[in-house]
Amino acid sequence: MKSYKDLDVYKIGLDLFYLVHPSSLKLPKYELYELGSQIRRSSDSVVSNIIEGYGRRRYKADFIKFLVYSHSSCLETIGHLEKIAKLYPDCFYNMDELINNYEGLGGKLFNFIKYVEENWKN
């Protein structure tokens, strides 16, 4: 692995971010800086924490810590998506698929964390 860009969790997270961001801008004006901002930040945090953790990969504990942050942000994003699905069902195209994709990403992040814990060399 030459770069964080080689990680599947990064690629999937970035693709999902690019779906979430423009859709969040379709929320009603009064939600753009409330729920809209929260989902944009949490979906971006999934990817940003993978990048920062990879940058600290020399220190296994730091790498794991940032991967855990990424996983937590993934779960947060799912929670925001579930709220939006109920409150504003027309803002996001194919919401069920988006939620399923974030749940799949969460599973991949969990497995990657386990891999790093068990196999990563300092």
Side-chain angles (χ1 to χ4, degrees), residues 9-64:
V9 289
Y10 169 79
K11 293 175 193 175
I12 295 166
L14 188 61
D15 287 345
L16 291 173
F17 169 77
Y18 286 137
L19 293 173
V20 165
H21 190 276
S23 295
S24 73
L25 298 174
K26 296 177 186 173
L27 288 165
K29 199 166 232 168
Y30 57 87
E31 284 287 17
L32 284 178
Y33 302 105
E34 297 296 328
L35 190 53
S37 176
Q38 288 178 324
I39 195 164
R40 285 189 297 276
R41 286 184 290 120
S42 67
S43 65
D44 183 40
S45 180
V46 173
V47 178
S48 296
N49 280 300
I50 292 168
I51 295 168
E52 188 164 358
Y54 186 85
R56 297 170 185 246
R57 70 192 178 281
R58 182 174 191 173
Y59 307 102
K60 182 177 178 176
D62 277 358
F63 193 13
I64 292 167

